[in-house]
Amino acid sequence: MEITALSQPTVAAQLRALWIIAKKDWKVFWRYPLNAVSHVFQPIIWVTPVYFMGKAFSTNGQALGFAQYSGTGDYMSYVLLGTALSNFILTVFWGMGFALKEDMDAGVLESNWLTPVSRLHILVGRTLTSLLTTTITSLIMLAVSALLFGFRPTGNVVAAILTAIPMLIGLYGFGFAFAGIVLLMREANTLVDVSSFLVQGFSGANFPVKSLPYWLIPVSLMLPLTYGFDAVRGFLLKTSTLFPLNVEVTILIVFMFVMLWFGAWIFNRIERKVRTLGTLGQH
Amino acid sequence: MSDLAIEASQLVKKFPAKPGTGDKPSEGGSAPPPKRKLFPFGKKEPNAMFTAVDGVDLQIQRGEIFGLLGPNGAGKSTTIRMLCTLLEPTSGTARVNGFDVVRQANDVRRSLGTVLAGERSIYWKLSGRENLEYFAALYHIPPAIAKKRVEELLERMEIKDRANELVEKYSTGMRQRIAIAKALLARPPILLLDEPTLGLDPQAARNLRELIAQLKREGHTILLTTHYMEEADQLSDRIGIIDTGKVIALDTPEGLKRRIDQQEIIRLEVIGWQEYIGDKLRALSEVSNLVARKQGEADLWEVNMQSNNSRAVLPKLVENIGQNGTRLVNMNIVKPSLEDVFIHLTGKALRD
Amino acid sequence: MEATLSPQSLGKPGLASDLRAFWAIVNREWTIFKRYPSWIIALLIWPLIFPMMYILTARALSGVDGSGMTVFTQTTGATNYIGYIVIGTTVWMWQNIVLWDVGFALRNEQMRGTLESNWLSPTWRFSYLLGHTGPQIITMTTFILITAVEFGLIFGVRLNGNPWLALLIMLASIPAIYGLGFAFASIVITAKEAHTFVFLVRGLVMIFCGITFPVSLLPGWMQSIAEWMPQTYMIHGMRSAAFANASFADLLPDLKALLLFGAFWLTLGYLLFNWMERRARQTGAIGQY
């Protein structure tokens, strides 16, 4: 008696799979309510010592030393915007690779991976949810912080958002490559911890890149995210930027395409390597 | 000083139940179907209790191997955990080696060697030898004696040549052997083994049973739980059959089988079994405890029943099977086994 | 009295064997710790990069001409802004690491399955927590030493005070920091999202204890809260001892506060442990996860 397989690989089926993965991640995220709340309040907690430190350098609420680098004395708005964007860095670094690793530890990865859905599709599906939940938590965080610390966006909101988009997409593209590396390593915690911290720092989340010692500035300039942070702030807060805004936006768009392609390519190669090494089942 | 190694009297253990699984049915009928929630936060339901062990009595003699036999979820692990002081009974008492499990817990722990959850109970980032040395210190064995004892056990468990490798590199069988060596370190008079052969390949399981028999000859008292009836039958001096938290029978293996001695067991292999046939056959007075189980993917079924007069039953069997696509493939009439005793007592199979 | 029967038990209870059991726990933790290679990187890198971010921020805030720094010196009274920040961030990191290491000591064992086999032995159960702190204190001391060396060498940070007094403050802080860890260890055993509790506690230290700023900048109600947190006194005491040339008399208030809090948290930690242990015996939480 012949058994007819029920699986039909069509574009519609692939899209449905993506949707299902996104839905699952969404549900799982909100099933850990403390974790969701933590996502909103953690950035605020980290911003607080920065706020008070800023006050220690300020007279009458204006950080004049800071203004020399950035063109504005409004240090908090500068930092809050950086923090909101940094949320995405954290999500990408911790979320992508460790989501896979968690699945691996729970034994679910293999069952997910045995399905004919392209592995990359699975990552993309998770990305959608991640983008959505992080945007929500970032916006809430900004709202709460605005109440606590004051947030004064005086510039062009639309342009800022439009600029953020290629940056975020590029960031997630990079996340694919990073996820592959995390898969390969048994103990990725330190790597993720340190690199997400350094990337945040050097992209200028908390301070203008211009203020770095001259020999560290090249590190920042090599990170595409630096231009993203700079441009978004340039539009939204009218700060002085490293390069003219249109140059920075172009860099971001190029970054986006390069990262999407590169990230997918790296991920696929590493995934194939993991299959030959047989690392998938161990943890 | 009592000469019972273990005695338990009306042990009861109740746990707070997960929502929807408590002992009593929920008030007002079934809960409404769960809404499709966008933000599914967990909702707390009122606490029901779930009775895992419902009044267990045990009297285990020194030097005997006592098997606690029952299906998954019968309460075997919970009973063992109460005896080794990990769990406090909700009510009832137990004494191990003469010490009360609640009030003299540390003395009980000193008297016991326990194997629970085999390979997870040892440190994977330590070597086999390091694991044993560590636990030897926890059991207060003086260092000079401990050293010798560790080597002795490594030798006996045949792990000596790999004793310095990390446990994470061992096979399941080897890890189980380390877990057992750990239980034997302080040379405790009483051993508790919870499903010791679970997950082992047949050869390893066989070796382990050999070891258990040997340990009895050396004077240890052993309480082991299992859901493998052959194992209980082969090893135990006496068996307690446990189901849904109660000991429903307690006797030697022979004694238990003799209970349904007048009965014969008819074992059938049938293709295309249908429920109505079972109902018809159950209606016969000479047939009792009919249990039908599907074997694997194809439509092959194993049907067991007890009969006090197989001669009378056979023609009726043949008559009812062999119609409507049902085919009799094989038939055996056998003496009862422990599994049949279990079915006789509970109406269900030991393995589900 | 135990029955005399064969086989004869080999265990000999007593103080010596209790101490040996304790030592075995310390040894075990140390051995396992060494077998996870990534600790080396963590131990070398974090002492440097974590304070660095705040130091770089401080540089940005002081401006191209350093005018911001004058304001800072006036507000904080600190002449050495790097030392000021490093002490605050190091205390924060110390508490953070203790929360993860000691706080999750029991829970990690529970997840692995080894908590049960430890619990079966006749060893005094609080030893498992106490024993865990042994290797922890060694690694933290190394961490702090590395911090001192790195900032001393790279940034030329020099002490302006009596190093022994600084050490004294650190020693006086140990009961509070580890007591909190013990309390934590007992609570998280059954907590579903235990890591968010770590985020919460270390978040409180971050907000209230003045890691990169003087507590005096906080609004009044926040200062009141800060007064109830031992880490505030740690940071204040360390800064005074290391960079403000404080005398023993100057440090006495901080020392007293630290010892009081230490006694409180150690006692609470012990009580919570006993509570958890009893509860676990009733609900069977030890074996499940």
Side-chain angles (χ1 to χ4, degrees):
Chain A
M1 192 172 65
E2 255 194 51
I3 301 182
T4 328
L6 289 173
S7 160
Q8 286 167 22
T10 59
V11 173
Q14 299 276 32
L15 285 176
R16 239 175 301 136
L18 268 182
W19 174 244
I20 273 275
I21 293 170
K23 222 167 59 155
K24 175 206 77 160
D25 270 357
W26 172 265
K27 283 213 193 126
V28 170
F29 181 78
W30 295 104
R31 280 207 183 116
Y32 292 96
L34 283 184
N35 193 36
V37 168
S38 180
H39 266 163
V40 169
F41 282 97
Q42 278 306 302
I44 299 178
I45 290 176
W46 282 76
V47 140
T48 311
V50 176
Y51 171 73
F52 286 107
M53 188 164 78
K55 272 181 98 176
F57 281 88
S58 306
T59 350
N60 297 328
Q62 289 295 311
L64 296 171
F66 164 75
Q68 293 167 8
Y69 285 115
S70 66
T72 171
D74 186 359
Y75 179 57
M76 269 326 274
S77 299
Y78 186 88
V79 164
L80 282 176
L81 195 49
T83 309
L85 293 173
S86 297
N87 275 345
F88 291 94
I89 298 182
L90 283 174
T91 309
V92 168
F93 273 75
W94 283 104
M96 318 257 344
F98 275 100
L100 288 182
K101 243 196 158 53
E102 256 166 41
D103 277 0
M104 208 157 94
D105 286 347
V108 169
L109 188 68
E110 284 183 313
S111 23
N112 269 333
W113 285 39
L114 287 172
T115 66
V117 178
S118 136
R119 316 292 155 86
L120 205 52
H121 269 81
I122 296 184
L123 266 189
V124 171
R126 312 196 83 135
T127 303
L128 293 177
T129 329
S130 152
L131 259 173
L132 191 55
T133 47
T134 314
T135 308
I136 293 180
T137 48
S138 274
L139 286 175
I140 301 180
M141 183 222 85
L142 265 181
V144 176
S145 309
L147 287 173
L148 290 172
F149 308 115
F151 181 58
R152 258 157 258 118
T154 52
N156 188 341
V157 177
V158 176
I161 295 180
L162 286 178
T163 313
I165 292 179
M167 176 182 82
L168 291 178
I169 297 182
L171 177 61
Y172 274 89
F174 165 77
F176 295 155
F178 199 71
I181 298 178
V182 167
L183 259 192
L184 210 49
M185 302 179 58
R186 275 165 145 239
E187 284 292 318
N189 258 304
T190 313
L191 172 72
V192 176
D193 231 353
V194 172
S195 45
S196 74
F197 187 76
L198 289 177
V199 167
Q200 273 184 287
F202 281 105
S203 310
N206 279 348
F207 50 80
V209 161
K210 273 186 267 192
S211 72
L212 284 172
Y214 67 91
W215 48 279
L216 277 179
I217 295 188
V219 178
S220 289
L221 293 180
M222 281 196 296
L223 290 173
L225 286 174
T226 309
Y227 305 101
F229 277 61
D230 207 34
V232 172
R233 281 176 175 139
F235 279 119
L236 201 55
L237 301 175
K238 307 219 193 86
T239 52
S240 55
T241 57
L242 291 164
F243 297 110
L245 279 169
N246 49 6
V247 172
E248 296 195 329
V249 174
T250 317
I251 296 180
L252 286 176
I253 296 183
V254 170
F255 164 62
M256 171 179 83
F257 285 114
V258 168
M259 268 307 152
L260 278 179
W261 177 85
F262 178 69
W265 182 74
I266 288 259
F267 180 77
N268 276 325
R269 300 215 48 204
I270 293 190
E271 188 261 323
R272 233 177 299 146
K273 180 154 192 235
V274 162
R275 257 188 290 155
T276 44
L277 281 183
T279 321
L280 211 57
Q282 311 162 10
H283 49 274
Chain B
M1 188 87 266
S2 104
D3 54 10
L4 287 176
I6 301 178
E7 60 181 308
S9 171
Q10 283 301 297
L11 275 183
V12 172
K13 185 64 190 167
K14 297 193 203 231
F15 293 108
K18 292 199 177 71
T21 61
D23 290 329
K24 294 202 177 59
S26 50
E27 319 262 67
S30 51
K35 297 188 289 214
R36 302 272 237 73
K37 298 197 238 177
L38 198 53
F39 294 96
F41 293 111
K43 270 219 147 98
K44 286 225 152 155
E45 286 188 20
N47 264 345
M49 296 300 272
F50 158 68
T51 309
V53 175
D54 197 3
V56 161
D57 293 306
L58 289 173
Q59 274 139 349
I60 300 177
Q61 310 284 343
R62 294 198 186 275
E64 79 166 317
I65 299 184
F66 189 93
L68 203 54
L69 174 67
N72 290 325
K76 311 189 289 291
S77 289
T78 311
T79 306
I80 283 234
R81 280 184 165 74
M82 284 194 278
L83 292 174
C84 65
T85 76
L86 283 182
L87 273 184
E88 236 173 60
T90 310
S91 65
T93 57
R95 304 184 78 83
V96 173
N97 204 22
F99 300 110
D100 185 284
V101 298
V102 175
R103 278 172 287 132
Q104 295 164 296
N106 253 354
D107 294 305
V108 171
R109 290 173 202 143
R110 263 188 268 280
S111 318
L112 281 180
T114 316
V115 178
L116 306 171
E119 56 177 12
R120 287 182 73 230
S121 67
I122 50 183
Y123 289 96
W124 287 29
K125 280 289 188 193
L126 293 181
S127 71
R129 179 174 276 119
E130 283 166 344
N131 263 290
L132 292 183
E133 284 167 352
Y134 169 71
F135 284 105
L138 288 192
Y139 278 87
H140 299 146
I141 306 178
I145 301 180
K147 224 168 134 63
K148 267 198 338 218
R149 183 71 175 151
V150 167
E151 297 308 314
E152 195 181 305
L153 285 170
L154 286 173
E155 182 101 39
R156 179 171 192 179
M157 294 291 155
E158 294 171 2
I159 323 180
K160 204 170 169 110
D161 52 341
R162 293 187 64 188
N164 287 331
E165 282 178 43
L166 297 190
V167 165
E168 63 185 357
K169 301 214 159 56
Y170 289 2
S171 66
T172 306
M174 290 175 72
R175 293 184 194 133
Q176 188 75 332
R177 300 212 293 273
I178 293 278
I180 295 168
K182 164 167 82 72
L184 293 173
L185 277 171
R187 215 161 53 194
I190 304 172
L191 296 169
L192 295 185
L193 308 175
D194 190 16
E195 311 257 12
T197 57
L198 192 62
L200 295 183
D201 62 76
Q203 182 61 45
R206 225 188 323 259
N207 291 343
L208 180 47
R209 291 185 197 128
E210 241 311 300
L211 174 66
I212 295 176
Q214 238 174 5
L215 289 170
K216 171 194 156 140
R217 287 193 287 272
E218 290 167 13
H220 293 278
T221 308
I222 301 170
L223 167 59
L224 73 94
T225 70
T226 180
H227 66 268
Y228 296 130
M229 70 147 183
E230 314 87 2
E231 182 168 278
D233 198 347
Q234 182 195 353
L235 286 177
S236 316
D237 296 311
R238 285 189 306 149
I239 294 177
I241 298 187
I242 183 171
D243 188 31
T244 56
K246 293 195 186 46
V247 174
I248 53 181
L250 201 160
D251 207 339
T252 63
E254 293 319 310
L256 288 174
K257 288 183 229 171
R258 236 177 291 131
R259 286 195 194 193
I260 54 174
D261 214 9
Q262 300 88 334
Q263 305 268 342
E264 287 167 311
I265 308 297
I266 304 179
R267 271 202 227 295
L268 306 173
E269 273 173 42
V270 176
I271 290 192
W273 176 262
Q274 296 174 56
E275 253 324 290
Y276 81 89
I277 308 179
D279 295 331
K280 273 185 134 177
L281 291 173
R282 282 190 193 99
L284 299 174
S285 61
E286 301 93 345
V287 171
S288 59
N289 289 321
L290 190 147
V291 170
R293 238 184 347 213
K294 197 151 185 236
Q295 308 287 326
E297 268 312 307
D299 205 7
L300 183 65
W301 294 71
E302 181 185 298
V303 183
N304 288 344
M305 70 195 86
Q306 292 165 4
S307 173
N308 53 13
N309 188 353
S310 57
R311 219 177 287 266
V313 170
L314 284 181
K316 299 193 192 152
L317 276 182
V318 173
E319 177 190 322
N320 280 296
I321 304 175
Q323 298 170 3
N324 296 336
T326 317
R327 255 173 48 223
L328 181 62
V329 172
N330 203 355
M331 175 164 68
N332 261 313
I333 304 179
V334 295
K335 289 258 130 221
S337 76
L338 274 185
E339 170 123 36
D340 302 304
V341 176
F342 187 81
I343 298 177
H344 175 76
L345 289 169
T346 65
K348 35 184 219 240
L350 191 54
R351 285 164 280 148
D352 259 328
Chain C
M1 197 198 73
E2 287 177 30
T4 29
L5 32 69
S6 85
Q8 275 278 30
S9 174
L10 290 173
K12 276 191 181 49
L15 181 61
S17 25
D18 276 332
L19 288 175
R20 260 196 309 269
F22 181 80
W23 178 246
I25 297 169
V26 173
N27 201 19
R28 170 207 87 199
E29 261 320 293
W30 183 245
T31 311
I32 295 183
F33 173 74
K34 281 190 294 182
R35 288 184 181 152
Y36 281 100
S38 57
W39 65 273
I40 305 180
I41 306 172
L43 216 46
L44 287 176
I45 292 192
W46 279 113
L48 185 62
I49 63 176
F50 187 69
M52 269 314 290
M53 284 308 154
Y54 292 101
I55 292 173
L56 289 172
T57 309
R59 286 183 79 248
L61 284 166
S62 59
V64 183
D65 58 2
S67 53
M69 190 55 78
T70 336
V71 182
F72 181 78
T73 314
Q74 276 167 2
T75 329
T76 62
T79 45
N80 188 339
Y81 81 101
I82 294 183
Y84 188 87
I85 292 177
V86 167
I87 286 184
T89 52
T90 305
V91 168
W92 185 87
M93 277 194 285
W94 188 0
Q95 184 69 81
N96 180 42
I97 293 180
V98 168
L99 285 175
W100 287 116
D101 263 5
V102 178
F104 276 78
L106 299 177
R107 185 170 169 89
N108 286 339
E109 298 248 3
Q110 181 196 38
M111 280 164 51
R112 273 185 289 194
T114 43
L115 189 61
E116 221 175 36
S117 46
N118 276 310
W119 241 236
L120 284 168
S121 79
T123 297
W124 181 47
R125 284 168 174 178
F126 199 58
S127 329
Y128 298 118
L129 266 188
L130 282 180
H132 214 97
T133 60
Q136 225 293 309
I137 292 189
I138 297 179
T139 35
M140 265 330 285
T141 313
T142 319
F143 189 94
I144 294 174
L145 278 175
I146 291 180
T147 308
V149 166
E150 280 175 348
F151 281 94
L153 282 180
I154 303 176
F155 294 92
V157 173
R158 292 283 173 266
L159 274 185
N160 177 24
N162 186 344
W164 294 110
L165 287 178
L167 183 61
L168 185 62
I169 298 265
M170 273 199 285
L171 287 176
S173 310
I174 288 183
I177 291 203
Y178 285 89
L180 182 54
F182 294 158
F184 213 73
S186 309
I187 299 179
V188 299
I189 267 232
T190 45
K192 237 179 89 173
E193 300 181 57
H195 55 281
T196 45
F197 286 105
V198 175
F199 296 156
L200 176 67
V201 173
R202 73 179 196 184
L204 290 175
V205 176
M206 192 168 245
I207 295 176
F208 290 99
C209 300
I211 61 169
T212 55
F213 54 90
V215 173
S216 51
L217 277 181
L218 292 172
W221 63 275
M222 286 178 80
Q223 289 192 35
S224 315
I225 298 180
E227 280 165 25
W228 286 96
M229 303 185 67
Q231 298 83 358
T232 310
Y233 302 96
M234 256 195 93
I235 294 177
H236 182 260
M238 290 277 316
R239 281 177 179 154
S240 312
F243 295 112
N245 206 9
S247 68
F248 181 75
D250 297 325
L251 293 172
L252 214 43
D254 287 324
L255 282 170
K256 278 201 267 197
L258 281 173
L259 289 175
L260 268 170
F261 279 113
F264 172 73
W265 281 107
L266 273 182
T267 316
L268 187 62
Y270 180 67
L271 290 174
L272 279 174
F273 179 82
N274 280 330
W275 166 82
M276 174 276 295
E277 197 254 322
R278 224 174 316 131
R279 201 164 159 265
R281 254 186 292 146
Q282 274 147 19
T283 60
I286 293 289
Q288 311 158 3
Y289 170 56

